[in-house]
Amino acid sequence: MATSTANSIELLAGNTACAKAAIAAGCRFFAGYPISPSSEIAEKLARLLPEVGGRFIQMEDEIASLAAVIGASLAGKKAMTATSGPGFSLMQEHIGYAAYAEVPCVIVDVMRGGPSTGLPTSPSQGDVMQARWGTHGDHPSIALAPASPKEFYELTVRAFNLAERLRTPVTLLCDEVVAHMYEKVDMAALAKLPIENRKKPTGAPGRHLAYAPGEDGVPVMAPFGDGYRYHVTGLAHDERGYPTQNPAVIAATQRRLHDKIEWQRRDIVQFETVDCNDAEVVVFAYGIVSAAARQALRLARAQGIRAGLFRAITLWPSPTEEIAALAEQVDRIVVAEMNLGQMLGEVQRAAGNAKRIDTCLKADGETITPEEILAVLKAGRETHV
Amino acid sequence: MFDFKEYLRLDMFPHMLCPGCGHGIVLGAMLRAIHSLGLSKDEVMVVSGIGCSSRLSGYVDFNTLHTTHGRPLAFATGIKLARPELKVIVITGDGDALSIGGNHLIHAARRNLAMTCLLLNNEIYGMTGGQSAPTTTPGKISTTSPKGQTERAFDSCRLAEAAGATFVARGITYEPAAVERLIAAALQHNGFSFVEILSDCPEFFGRFNRVGSPSDMLFTQKQNTLDAKAAAALPPERRKGKLLTGILHQDSAPEYLATLDQNFAGAVRPDMRE
Amino acid sequence: MERYEIRLSGEGGQGLVLAGAIVAEAVGIYGGKQVTYTQSYGPESRGGSCRSDVVVSDEPVDYPICTRLDLLLALTQKACDSYSPQLKNDGILIVDENRVSVVPPGSFRLCRLPILQTARVKLAKEVVANMVCVGIVGMLSGLASKEDLHKAVLARVPKGTQEINRRALEAGFGLANAWLEQAAGGTPCLVSR
């Protein structure tokens, strides 16, 4: 990509931003399988990782890709994969494995039209619930949704930070438009983002209890090969990592997996509000739809509609407390998303049955336009008045 | 002086394998092979899938990873790439490696990344109660082939060789010392090494097919197999119907990481050199 | 400047994805304006419909996809039919005179140019038609200087092909200038209905 010589401004594509951010965050391992519209992330990292002493491998499928990522992470590397809907479906078992065995890793899902093979090159936001409930069993999820290439960069770094800090898989839910769009980005500013690393044990190897949690509920993590010999399994396990069927031990681990995320909920949940202070109606949107909503806000305000925007950046854990607070202030919420109602359920749950919620939903391979959101803002207002 | 207790996590015992199961014999042979090569426990990484044989990883005092069904080779690939100095051993079963994980086996063989895969073949799914496997001999009884297995069986060694494995061997639990030697040779091979070990399941396969006691089953192994070197000197009619044991294939194709590092030699940015 | 929307449309293989990126870089990186660039394409690498959108503004761009076009370049009849209804009343429609025979009615300004022919005949290399497009779009939008367009092209094209691409860009300037002079001279090239 062209860089002006005078400064560090680049015209950056979303998938390129993700690959560069991964390197900056300390990612040194990528395993993946080609799939539109995420392949550029793999292609960039195939070139970038060897330059920093990292490893790239194209695996035989997405199941193997996430397996290799988990293996590399256990051996001490920050690791990621990138895929799209069908591949994300195949990865679900290993996302559950990473959650239960507490292996930090980052999974990028560039959402395309579905279900099934669907629309390989068209945008969608249809994987939101899969990112929460895609695996069997109970475990919490973290999913972040960037709305621009710059934010894709920032959230990729953040995804690694959260994964390493909390020893958990983190999903980046990007839509095809953000993945492929270019925007002007000041790379020098992005280079200053903080980087977090997993905590390593300091005690003698012989006494290491692999799954004894710290005060934050997170066990410190010894890389395989550093002399802390221990067992990792996807079976229910005790603090030694040994398989167990003891209900008390199992219950405590299940609780802790939730607690370690819940205790940091306020830090994990990020959102942005635009023009909400005087708003009568607020659009709830994320990803590229929030970009359409911003423009819809301008159009609406020009027509005398006091519209605001609640842009979710973290989708899971969902910003229910924040939505509930917002619902107290406004007459109406418009949920706009490129599916037939996924975060809608979260908004309804948070806002309560009494709150009027209108929708602007679309799952036809095209993005929601500012005019479509404006129409819902206006129509609702006319019927409301 | 070899003491198997040095290599076991005794606090995880008693183990969950059935009386007469062959897997303990393989485990003993593997530990003696590791000991004979003088490998430290810290440099050994054992990765396994799901099934009876895959439970072995839990009982040994190495770095151990018990993964998902069929995928241990894929996990192991990530570990080996991230930490090439580890000696990576994958323990897998016939259902694990040849059915649900068949794709990973052929691609691991094709890549030729230096790892050792030990496939413990008992011709049946033991952990789930005796269903037929891709290795079940035609005609044999299992809970899902009550009138006898209809499908043909895989020859895992021929499969591994065809897919590109650069070291292929077969052993039988009737001959533990030979299994130990084969595993030691596999661990010293620079490339993807594959060892199938016939390891009986008296509890399900044996009972269902009325093939006698565990020791009867061991004798049957011996009757059904021939050492590959000895077989070469025999007339075809003496070899007919026999599975060959010993080292069946070995070549010196370039190892994956060696080629990768050669391709990217000089690619590392000066500020990133460790 | 408020939001200015450019769409380059045609079929896969015409190089319009790269052309859009170069226009965006000339305007945004070298010209210093705010810019976004998106593409939409089908599964085919060759043939199939293809478009790239460049949105320019003094303020950061909210929504990167074109909704009301200031400038549309169409290299196929299908692209012209699909997107010309989105042109603003005073927008500019640039079509290839050999590939687009029917122009729908509208109050936009029409610019018919021998784009593909120029590349094929004058430059003897049809693949550089996209650089001819960069020259035309850069000039007619008025958003990028010739110097910035040159820089953007040279930064992007493979080594060894700079000269032919530079000539293609110049050819695009030439076509655009001839049309502008005609327009200034009162020739009825401002088509309405």
Side-chain angles (χ1 to χ4, degrees):
Chain A
M1 187 54 49
T3 308
S4 64
T5 48
N7 53 36
S8 58
I9 306 293
E10 276 189 32
L11 196 63
L12 196 63
N15 280 345
T16 308
C18 175
K20 289 190 172 189
I23 298 290
C27 175
R28 292 298 177 266
F29 185 86
F30 179 99
Y33 185 80
I35 186 167
S36 298
S38 78
S39 298
E40 296 86 0
I41 298 171
E43 290 167 353
K44 291 286 172 200
L45 286 170
R47 289 177 176 277
L48 294 176
L49 275 169
E51 291 179 4
V52 294
R55 300 277 190 201
F56 169 93
I57 187 167
Q58 180 171 321
M59 294 298 286
E60 52 271 22
D61 59 32
E62 288 89 345
I63 298 170
S65 299
L66 190 49
V69 162
I70 292 169
S73 182
L74 285 165
K77 304 288 184 195
K78 291 187 183 180
M80 80 182 291
T81 185
T83 187
S84 183
F88 194 50
S89 295
L90 288 175
M91 287 180 184
Q92 291 302 326
E93 186 187 5
H94 285 159
I95 293 175
Y97 187 95
Y100 207 12
E102 300 183 70
V103 185
C105 55
V106 173
I107 300 116
V108 182
D109 173 20
V110 180
M111 294 180 284
R112 68 190 219 185
S116 190
T117 312
L119 291 156
T121 60
S122 300
S124 155
Q125 294 177 327
D127 303 354
V128 169
M129 278 296 162
Q130 192 183 14
R132 176 64 192 90
W133 298 110
T135 72
H136 59 281
D138 273 305
H139 68 83
S141 297
I142 299 178
L144 315 175
S148 70
K150 174 170 173 279
E151 194 171 63
F152 202 178
Y153 189 107
E154 294 164 342
L155 292 188
T156 300
V157 172
R158 185 167 167 73
F160 274 100
N161 288 348
L162 292 174
E164 295 289 316
R165 187 201 307 166
L166 296 162
R167 284 191 65 173
T168 187
V170 175
T171 302
L172 280 159
L173 278 179
C174 186
D175 52 75
E176 184 273 341
V177 179
V178 170
H180 282 159
M181 76 176 271
Y182 291 70
E183 72 172 347
K184 267 175 75 169
V185 175
D186 183 352
M187 298 305 287
L190 290 174
K192 293 172 187 148
L193 294 171
I195 307 295
E196 294 180 43
N197 296 302
R198 66 187 71 169
K199 277 189 226 142
K200 287 187 179 180
T202 49
R207 308 178 68 85
H208 182 57
L209 274 178
Y211 287 98
E215 279 185 2
D216 57 359
V218 183
V220 296
M221 187 171 176
F224 280 140
D226 273 11
Y228 296 85
R229 297 187 305 276
Y230 63 100
H231 190 55
V232 175
T233 178
L235 288 165
H237 45 272
D238 61 20
E239 290 194 344
R240 297 169 300 178
Y242 290 7
T244 181
Q245 299 199 53
N246 179 334
V249 174
I250 294 164
T253 305
Q254 292 279 1
R255 190 65 258 160
R256 180 174 65 73
L257 290 180
H258 280 83
D259 285 346
K260 70 177 181 179
I261 308 287
E262 188 57 32
W263 290 340
Q264 298 198 28
R265 188 188 169 283
R266 280 188 189 284
D267 177 68
I268 299 167
V269 172
Q270 290 188 325
F271 61 95
E272 179 192 7
T273 55
V274 182
D275 294 343
C276 283
N277 285 342
D278 69 335
E280 56 191 307
V281 54
V282 164
V283 180
F284 174 94
Y286 53 94
I288 191 61
V289 180
S290 61
R294 272 178 209 277
Q295 204 177 322
L297 250 56
R298 291 184 195 217
L299 300 170
R301 292 245 163 198
Q303 296 179 27
I305 303 168
R306 297 197 315 277
L309 168 66
F310 183 100
R311 180 170 81 84
I313 298 169
T314 306
L315 298 186
W316 305 112
S318 67
T320 44
E321 288 172 21
E322 294 75 9
I323 296 166
L326 185 74
E328 297 280 317
Q329 300 168 24
V330 300
D331 301 334
R332 193 159 63 92
I333 298 173
V334 173
V335 175
E337 53 183 342
M338 287 191 288
N339 54 54
L340 297 184
Q342 297 200 16
M343 286 306 282
L344 173 62
E346 291 297 300
V347 175
Q348 285 169 333
R349 193 162 64 82
N353 289 334
K355 182 57 56 181
R356 180 168 164 196
I357 297 171
D358 294 329
T359 58
C360 183
L361 308 175
K362 198 173 174 183
D364 62 357
E366 299 280 331
T367 48
I368 293 175
T369 65
E371 284 74 13
E372 285 167 336
I373 296 171
L374 179 67
V376 179
L377 288 170
K378 281 166 74 174
R381 188 175 196 240
E382 279 154 20
T383 52
H384 188 56
V385 168
Chain B
M1 177 65 187
F2 174 72
D3 177 3
F4 68 88
K5 283 183 187 155
E6 249 181 59
Y7 291 95
L8 294 177
R9 289 178 178 139
L10 293 172
D11 58 344
M12 211 193 258
F13 281 68
H15 62 72
M16 46 80 67
L17 300 171
C18 306
C21 174
H23 295 351
I25 298 174
V26 181
L27 185 67
M30 182 186 89
L31 295 180
R32 287 193 303 277
I34 288 168
H35 182 81
S36 73
L37 296 175
L39 297 171
S40 86
K41 293 196 285 186
D42 288 341
E43 68 183 307
V44 176
M45 175 83 229
V46 177
V47 186
S48 64
I50 295 293
C52 298
S53 54
S54 289
R55 285 296 188 103
L56 294 181
S57 64
Y59 302 119
V60 289
D61 185 20
F62 303 117
N63 306 287
T64 59
L65 178 64
H66 178 225
T67 70
T68 54
H69 194 25
R71 323 299 176 193
L73 284 164
F75 282 83
T77 299
I79 292 170
K80 184 68 183 178
L81 286 175
R83 201 113 190 192
E85 67 271 25
L86 286 174
K87 205 74 170 160
V88 178
I89 302 170
V90 172
I91 301 178
T92 180
D94 44 317
D96 201 52
L98 297 173
S99 192
I100 188 168
N103 198 35
H104 309 306
L105 174 64
I106 60 174
H107 286 278
R110 177 179 66 82
R111 271 186 206 108
N112 201 31
L113 180 63
M115 306 190 287
T116 296
C117 176
L118 307 180
L119 190 157
L120 280 58
N121 179 1
N122 58 9
E123 283 196 49
I124 205 157
Y125 284 79
M127 180 72 84
T128 44
Q131 297 80 16
S132 63
T135 43
T136 305
T137 305
K140 294 295 181 189
I141 305 295
S142 75
T143 57
T144 50
S145 59
K147 299 288 184 186
Q149 169 70 327
T150 313
E151 301 173 9
R152 292 181 298 168
F154 262 133
D155 179 330
S156 72
C157 289
R158 289 176 65 194
L159 179 70
E161 182 184 344
T166 48
F167 179 102
V168 179
R170 180 182 285 122
I172 53 178
T173 47
Y174 179 86
E175 298 171 339
V179 172
E180 177 193 329
R181 285 194 299 274
L182 291 175
I183 295 174
L187 286 171
Q188 289 173 284
H189 176 74
N190 186 29
F192 183 75
S193 52
F194 177 85
V195 184
E196 180 191 56
I197 301 114
L198 305 188
S199 175
D200 295 322
C201 174
E203 180 63 26
F204 294 113
F205 188 90
R207 280 196 298 123
F208 296 162
N209 291 289
R210 302 173 186 279
V211 292
S213 68
S215 52
D216 291 337
M217 293 178 78
L218 285 172
F219 281 119
T220 306
Q221 283 184 4
K222 184 62 185 163
Q223 282 163 10
N224 289 346
T225 53
L226 268 180
D227 177 73
K229 275 187 199 150
L234 293 174
E237 64 271 18
R238 296 272 307 275
R239 280 183 288 170
K240 197 164 180 259
K242 306 274 189 185
L243 267 181
L244 298 184
T245 58
I247 296 173
L248 305 179
H249 171 76
Q250 196 164 11
D251 70 54
S252 57
E255 197 272 335
Y256 176 88
L257 268 174
T259 310
L260 189 72
D261 287 343
Q262 205 175 356
N263 288 350
F264 284 101
V268 183
R269 281 175 7 211
D271 56 320
M272 288 295 172
R273 292 207 182 103
E274 281 176 19
Chain C
M1 181 191 55
E2 292 210 11
R3 189 179 167 94
Y4 188 97
E5 299 188 352
I6 299 170
R7 173 167 290 169
L8 312 183
S9 60
E11 61 193 20
Q14 289 178 326
L16 295 177
V17 167
L18 178 60
I22 289 174
V23 170
E25 283 173 1
V27 173
I29 302 294
Y30 303 104
K33 294 187 179 61
Q34 293 295 331
V35 64
T36 60
Y37 163 60
T38 58
Q39 325 108 53
S40 174
Y41 58 94
E44 308 90 346
S45 289
R46 293 288 180 269
S49 59
C50 171
R51 68 172 201 237
S52 61
D53 287 2
V54 180
V55 180
V56 186
S57 174
D58 285 333
E59 300 294 311
V61 177
D62 285 339
Y63 185 62
I65 297 172
C66 294
T67 54
R68 294 186 64 231
L69 299 166
D70 292 277
L71 186 152
L72 170 66
L73 176 128
L75 292 188
T76 61
Q77 184 67 51
K78 191 179 166 202
C80 181
D81 296 345
S82 299
Y83 304 127
S84 58
Q86 290 179 41
L87 268 165
K88 287 182 181 170
N89 283 342
D90 57 347
I92 304 171
L93 173 62
I94 304 162
V95 299
D96 182 83
E97 67 177 27
N98 295 310
R99 289 293 299 272
V100 180
S101 50
V102 183
V103 176
S107 58
F108 44 78
R109 287 171 289 168
L110 176 67
C111 176
R112 274 182 200 275
L113 297 172
I115 298 167
L116 296 170
Q117 194 192 353
T118 299
R120 190 170 55 241
V121 178
K122 195 176 162 199
L123 300 161
K125 203 162 178 135
E126 190 160 3
V127 293
V128 296
N130 59 343
M131 296 302 142
V132 180
C133 293
V134 169
I136 296 166
V137 170
M139 291 299 289
L140 297 189
S141 66
L143 293 175
S145 70
K146 283 186 177 179
E147 190 193 351
D148 289 343
L149 287 161
H150 268 295
K151 280 189 208 161
V153 167
L154 293 181
R156 269 297 198 130
V157 299
K159 286 207 163 42
T161 69
Q162 282 120 330
E163 181 53 24
I164 182 73
N165 281 298
R166 191 193 59 74
R167 283 175 50 216
L169 181 68
E170 291 285 350
F173 294 158
L175 289 173
N177 276 331
W179 182 79
L180 284 170
E181 279 165 22
Q182 245 186 337
T187 317
C189 56
L190 294 174
V191 175
S192 177
R193 262 156 278 272

PDB file of all heavy atoms in Angstrom, chain C residues 93-106:
ATOM      1  N   LEU C  93     -21.834  11.389 -16.072  1.00  0.00           N
ATOM      2  CA  LEU C  93     -21.823   9.985 -16.486  1.00  0.00           C
ATOM      3  C   LEU C  93     -20.773   9.796 -17.576  1.00  0.00           C
ATOM      4  O   LEU C  93     -20.871  10.392 -18.653  1.00  0.00           O
ATOM      5  CB  LEU C  93     -23.202   9.560 -17.011  1.00  0.00           C
ATOM      6  CG  LEU C  93     -23.282   8.153 -17.633  1.00  0.00           C
ATOM      7  CD1 LEU C  93     -22.946   7.071 -16.614  1.00  0.00           C
ATOM      8  CD2 LEU C  93     -24.662   7.909 -18.234  1.00  0.00           C
ATOM      9  N   ILE C  94     -19.762   8.978 -17.290  1.00  0.00           N
ATOM     10  CA  ILE C  94     -18.718   8.686 -18.277  1.00  0.00           C
ATOM     11  C   ILE C  94     -18.951   7.258 -18.771  1.00  0.00           C
ATOM     12  O   ILE C  94     -18.999   6.337 -17.953  1.00  0.00           O
ATOM     13  CB  ILE C  94     -17.317   8.772 -17.650  1.00  0.00           C
ATOM     14  CG1 ILE C  94     -17.104  10.155 -17.010  1.00  0.00           C
ATOM     15  CG2 ILE C  94     -16.229   8.474 -18.675  1.00  0.00           C
ATOM     16  CD1 ILE C  94     -15.968  10.193 -16.009  1.00  0.00           C
ATOM     17  N   VAL C  95     -19.140   7.110 -20.095  1.00  0.00           N
ATOM     18  CA  VAL C  95     -19.335   5.756 -20.619  1.00  0.00           C
ATOM     19  C   VAL C  95     -18.330   5.470 -21.718  1.00  0.00           C
ATOM     20  O   VAL C  95     -17.830   6.385 -22.387  1.00  0.00           O
ATOM     21  CB  VAL C  95     -20.765   5.545 -21.180  1.00  0.00           C
ATOM     22  CG1 VAL C  95     -21.809   5.733 -20.084  1.00  0.00           C
ATOM     23  CG2 VAL C  95     -21.033   6.469 -22.358  1.00  0.00           C
ATOM     24  N   ASP C  96     -18.046   4.196 -21.908  1.00  0.00           N
ATOM     25  CA  ASP C  96     -17.228   3.794 -23.045  1.00  0.00           C
ATOM     26  C   ASP C  96     -18.116   3.812 -24.283  1.00  0.00           C
ATOM     27  O   ASP C  96     -19.176   3.176 -24.300  1.00  0.00           O
ATOM     28  CB  ASP C  96     -16.655   2.395 -22.837  1.00  0.00           C
ATOM     29  CG  ASP C  96     -15.751   1.996 -23.994  1.00  0.00           C
ATOM     30  OD1 ASP C  96     -14.577   2.390 -23.966  1.00  0.00           O
ATOM     31  OD2 ASP C  96     -16.252   1.340 -24.931  1.00  0.00           O
ATOM     32  N   GLU C  97     -17.697   4.534 -25.295  1.00  0.00           N
ATOM     33  CA  GLU C  97     -18.601   4.769 -26.428  1.00  0.00           C
ATOM     34  C   GLU C  97     -18.875   3.514 -27.245  1.00  0.00           C
ATOM     35  O   GLU C  97     -19.867   3.456 -27.952  1.00  0.00           O
ATOM     36  CB  GLU C  97     -18.091   5.906 -27.327  1.00  0.00           C
ATOM     37  CG  GLU C  97     -16.808   5.595 -28.052  1.00  0.00           C
ATOM     38  CD  GLU C  97     -16.403   6.736 -28.990  1.00  0.00           C
ATOM     39  OE1 GLU C  97     -16.775   7.893 -28.727  1.00  0.00           O
ATOM     40  OE2 GLU C  97     -15.717   6.442 -29.974  1.00  0.00           O
ATOM     41  N   ASN C  98     -18.017   2.518 -27.146  1.00  0.00           N
ATOM     42  CA  ASN C  98     -18.259   1.290 -27.892  1.00  0.00           C
ATOM     43  C   ASN C  98     -19.021   0.240 -27.097  1.00  0.00           C
ATOM     44  O   ASN C  98     -19.704  -0.603 -27.662  1.00  0.00           O
ATOM     45  CB  ASN C  98     -16.932   0.700 -28.375  1.00  0.00           C
ATOM     46  CG  ASN C  98     -16.255   1.631 -29.368  1.00  0.00           C
ATOM     47  OD1 ASN C  98     -16.876   2.081 -30.325  1.00  0.00           O
ATOM     48  ND2 ASN C  98     -14.996   1.967 -29.103  1.00  0.00           N
ATOM     49  N   ARG C  99     -18.883   0.272 -25.787  1.00  0.00           N
ATOM     50  CA  ARG C  99     -19.528  -0.756 -24.970  1.00  0.00           C
ATOM     51  C   ARG C  99     -20.903  -0.325 -24.464  1.00  0.00           C
ATOM     52  O   ARG C  99     -21.712  -1.160 -24.045  1.00  0.00           O
ATOM     53  CB  ARG C  99     -18.633  -1.126 -23.758  1.00  0.00           C
ATOM     54  CG  ARG C  99     -17.381  -1.910 -24.115  1.00  0.00           C
ATOM     55  CD  ARG C  99     -17.684  -3.310 -24.649  1.00  0.00           C
ATOM     56  NE  ARG C  99     -18.396  -4.157 -23.713  1.00  0.00           N
ATOM     57  CZ  ARG C  99     -17.812  -4.933 -22.797  1.00  0.00           C
ATOM     58  NH1 ARG C  99     -16.495  -4.965 -22.714  1.00  0.00           N
ATOM     59  NH2 ARG C  99     -18.524  -5.675 -21.994  1.00  0.00           N
ATOM     60  N   VAL C 100     -21.158   0.980 -24.457  1.00  0.00           N
ATOM     61  CA  VAL C 100     -22.448   1.477 -23.955  1.00  0.00           C
ATOM     62  C   VAL C 100     -23.146   2.214 -25.087  1.00  0.00           C
ATOM     63  O   VAL C 100     -22.717   3.289 -25.497  1.00  0.00           O
ATOM     64  CB  VAL C 100     -22.246   2.411 -22.738  1.00  0.00           C
ATOM     65  CG1 VAL C 100     -23.588   2.932 -22.230  1.00  0.00           C
ATOM     66  CG2 VAL C 100     -21.498   1.682 -21.630  1.00  0.00           C
ATOM     67  N   SER C 101     -24.205   1.608 -25.599  1.00  0.00           N
ATOM     68  CA  SER C 101     -24.882   2.226 -26.739  1.00  0.00           C
ATOM     69  C   SER C 101     -26.144   2.979 -26.322  1.00  0.00           C
ATOM     70  O   SER C 101     -26.518   3.970 -26.933  1.00  0.00           O
ATOM     71  CB  SER C 101     -25.226   1.158 -27.777  1.00  0.00           C
ATOM     72  OG  SER C 101     -25.878   0.073 -27.149  1.00  0.00           O
ATOM     73  N   VAL C 102     -26.783   2.517 -25.275  1.00  0.00           N
ATOM     74  CA  VAL C 102     -28.021   3.158 -24.832  1.00  0.00           C
ATOM     75  C   VAL C 102     -27.783   3.855 -23.500  1.00  0.00           C
ATOM     76  O   VAL C 102     -27.384   3.220 -22.524  1.00  0.00           O
ATOM     77  CB  VAL C 102     -29.148   2.113 -24.660  1.00  0.00           C
ATOM     78  CG1 VAL C 102     -30.462   2.803 -24.276  1.00  0.00           C
ATOM     79  CG2 VAL C 102     -29.300   1.289 -25.930  1.00  0.00           C
ATOM     80  N   VAL C 103     -27.992   5.162 -23.497  1.00  0.00           N
ATOM     81  CA  VAL C 103     -27.846   5.900 -22.247  1.00  0.00           C
ATOM     82  C   VAL C 103     -29.233   6.298 -21.765  1.00  0.00           C
ATOM     83  O   VAL C 103     -29.990   6.927 -22.508  1.00  0.00           O
ATOM     84  CB  VAL C 103     -26.973   7.155 -22.446  1.00  0.00           C
ATOM     85  CG1 VAL C 103     -26.913   7.960 -21.161  1.00  0.00           C
ATOM     86  CG2 VAL C 103     -25.568   6.745 -22.883  1.00  0.00           C
ATOM     87  N   PRO C 104     -29.579   5.903 -20.555  1.00  0.00           N
ATOM     88  CA  PRO C 104     -30.924   6.226 -20.070  1.00  0.00           C
ATOM     89  C   PRO C 104     -31.098   7.729 -19.904  1.00  0.00           C
ATOM     90  O   PRO C 104     -30.118   8.468 -19.759  1.00  0.00           O
ATOM     91  CB  PRO C 104     -30.993   5.499 -18.719  1.00  0.00           C
ATOM     92  CG  PRO C 104     -29.594   5.233 -18.342  1.00  0.00           C
ATOM     93  CD  PRO C 104     -28.775   5.196 -19.568  1.00  0.00           C
ATOM     94  N   PRO C 105     -32.333   8.213 -19.959  1.00  0.00           N
ATOM     95  CA  PRO C 105     -32.560   9.652 -19.808  1.00  0.00           C
ATOM     96  C   PRO C 105     -32.193  10.126 -18.406  1.00  0.00           C
ATOM     97  O   PRO C 105     -32.232   9.352 -17.461  1.00  0.00           O
ATOM     98  CB  PRO C 105     -34.064   9.805 -20.059  1.00  0.00           C
ATOM     99  CG  PRO C 105     -34.648   8.464 -19.775  1.00  0.00           C
ATOM    100  CD  PRO C 105     -33.586   7.463 -20.123  1.00  0.00           C
ATOM    101  N   GLY C 106     -31.808  11.394 -18.340  1.00  0.00           N
ATOM    102  CA  GLY C 106     -31.444  11.961 -17.040  1.00  0.00           C
ATOM    103  C   GLY C 106     -30.858  13.333 -17.260  1.00  0.00           C
ATOM    104  O   GLY C 106     -30.461  13.676 -18.378  1.00  0.00           O
TER     105      GLY C 106
END
